[in-house]
Amino acid sequence: MTALSARMLTRSRSLGPGAGPRGCREEPGPLRRREAAAARKSHSPVKRPRKAQRLRVAYEGSDSEKGEGAEPLKVPVWEPQDWQQQLVNIRAMRNKKDAPVDHLGTEHCYDSSAPPKVRRYQVLLSLMLSSQTKDQVTAGAMQRLRARGLTVDSILQTDDATLGKLIYPVGFWRSKVKYIKQTSAILQQHYGGDIPASVAELVALPGVGPKMAHLAMAVAWGTVSGIAVDTHVHRIANRLRWTKKATKSPEETRAALEEWLPRELWHEINGLLVGFGQQTCLPVHPRCHACLNQALCPAAQGL
C-alpha cells in the first residue's frame, strides 16, 4: 500500500460511517425527523386552552314567560299638574255626600226589591229620563212610573199620552216618550225584557248615549266600562285643565280623561264631580271663594 492510500483510508475512518466522498452526512430518516420534532415540542411553551366566556344577554320575556298576570311596560303619559291634590280637595268638599246626586241619582231611582231583570230595566229608564234634566225631576218621574209597576210590559201597554204625563216635566219629554217605547220594544224582542250587557249594544238603543251606557254598565251590571261624562264632568275637567287641550263635547272629554286617569278612579269620578258641580263648581257664578282648589284651579285665576 502506498503512503497516499494509507492517508486516505485513515481519514475515511476518522469521519465515521455515512461520510461520503465529500465529507457530508447522510440525510436523517423519517424516524429521526419525528424524534427531532418531538424534541422541539418538548422545549416549546405549553399552550393551555382558554375557557370560552359566556356572554349573558337579558331579553324581555314573552307574556307566557312572565305569566298571564304580568302587566305590560308602562309608557309615560301626560297628566295634569296638581291633579292629585285637586282630587284630594274635591273629596274633602264632598265628604258629606249631601248633593242631589247622592240621594236622587240613578243608584237610588230603581226598586231594589224587584227582580234583577226589572231592576236593570229601571236603571236604564232612569238614565234615559235624566238627560238634560235635574236629578230631582228625574226622581219624581221615576216615582210616578214605579207606582204603576215599571216593567217592559207595563210601559209597552201604556199609551203615549199617559206616558208623557207620567214623565213630564223631564227635558225633551216628547222625544223621550218615543225613545222609551222603541227601546222597550227592542228589549222585549231581542233581550227577553233585559238590557244589553255591553256599551256597544246599549248605545245602539234609541235615546241611549255613551254616558248613559257607561253608567248602566256600572250600576246595572257592576262593570266599569269607561268614565261617564255628563255636563258637570265635562265642565269641571276643562276648568281644572284635566284634559291636554280644551274639549268641546262630553265624549271628547271622556276620551281625554281615560288617556291618563288611573282606571281604579273611573267609577268614582262621575258621582264625585257631578256633586261638586251641583254644589260648588256651578255652571254660572262658581263658588270659587268656598273652593279648596281656588289656588290650584287655572280657571279660578282668571275670575
Side-chain angles (χ1 to χ4, degrees):
M1 180 181 294
T2 64
L4 179 60
S5 299
R7 284 199 302 269
M8 289 181 65
L9 177 62
T10 304
R11 187 178 178 184
S12 174
R13 286 175 180 172
S14 65
L15 290 175
R22 296 184 180 180
C24 296
R25 298 180 180 177
E26 289 181 349
E27 288 295 321
L31 180 59
R32 289 193 175 183
R33 282 200 296 269
R34 286 198 294 270
E35 290 174 352
R40 286 196 300 272
K41 268 190 179 181
S42 64
H43 294 291
S44 62
V46 178
K47 293 184 180 180
R48 296 181 180 178
R50 298 177 62 184
K51 290 184 178 179
Q53 294 183 350
R54 294 183 180 180
L55 180 62
R56 295 185 178 181
V57 181
Y59 296 95
E60 181 186 348
S62 62
D63 290 341
S64 60
E65 292 171 338
K66 291 180 182 178
E68 293 182 358
E71 293 187 5
L73 295 175
K74 293 183 178 179
V75 179
V77 295
W78 174 89
E79 63 179 29
Q81 184 179 4
D82 300 322
W83 75 270
Q84 291 176 316
Q85 186 58 52
Q86 291 168 341
L87 182 62
V88 168
N89 291 341
I90 294 173
R91 284 173 176 158
M93 290 183 280
R94 291 277 289 116
N95 64 350
K96 293 182 179 179
K97 300 289 183 183
D98 54 358
V101 69
D102 296 317
H103 52 90
L104 296 173
T106 300
E107 296 91 339
H108 307 280
C109 286
Y110 64 85
D111 182 3
S112 58
S113 63
K117 186 187 298 186
V118 175
R119 290 202 304 266
R120 289 190 287 267
Y121 174 68
Q122 292 181 0
V123 166
L124 181 61
L125 224 62
S126 69
L127 288 168
M128 294 177 70
L129 293 174
S130 69
S131 175
Q132 303 294 315
T133 305
K134 292 185 176 181
D135 289 335
Q136 297 90 326
V137 177
T138 300
M142 285 296 294
Q143 285 181 347
R144 293 188 292 274
L145 289 170
R146 284 172 52 190
R148 294 170 59 92
L150 182 52
T151 64
V152 170
D153 291 336
S154 67
I155 288 295
L156 291 175
Q157 292 169 9
T158 303
D159 60 82
D160 291 2
T162 302
L163 183 56
K165 291 177 182 178
L166 290 170
I167 68 173
Y168 181 86
V170 299
F172 305 101
W173 63 272
R174 289 185 179 86
S175 296
K176 290 178 181 178
V177 166
K178 179 179 65 175
Y179 293 147
I180 289 171
K181 281 294 193 72
Q182 291 174 345
T183 291
S184 298
I186 292 171
L187 298 181
Q188 186 185 61
Q189 294 170 9
H190 300 286
Y191 297 96
D194 208 341
I195 71 172
S198 72
V199 171
E201 290 175 291
L202 284 165
V203 296
L205 298 172
V208 178
K211 180 209 78 171
M212 302 177 203
H214 288 300
L215 279 175
M217 290 297 296
V219 179
W221 293 109
T223 300
V224 178
S225 56
I227 300 174
V229 177
D230 67 351
T231 181
H232 294 292
V233 179
H234 172 63
R235 177 179 71 255
I236 294 168
N238 277 273
R239 284 180 176 175
L240 292 175
R241 303 293 191 270
W242 278 13
T243 57
K244 196 171 184 178
K245 61 180 181 179
T247 54
K248 298 180 180 180
S249 68
E251 186 60 11
E252 190 178 346
T253 300
R254 179 192 66 79
L257 288 174
E258 289 181 0
E259 284 184 356
W260 67 266
L261 189 67
R263 193 177 181 89
E264 58 267 23
L265 298 176
W266 289 10
H267 179 67
E268 174 193 15
I269 208 69
N270 176 266
L272 192 69
L273 295 188
V274 168
F276 179 57
Q278 291 175 337
Q279 294 181 311
T280 305
C281 197
L282 306 175
V284 182
H285 305 303
R287 297 168 183 165
C288 297
H289 63 281
C291 181
L292 297 178
N293 283 326
Q294 185 176 14
L296 299 175
C297 178
Q301 307 309 309
L303 297 176

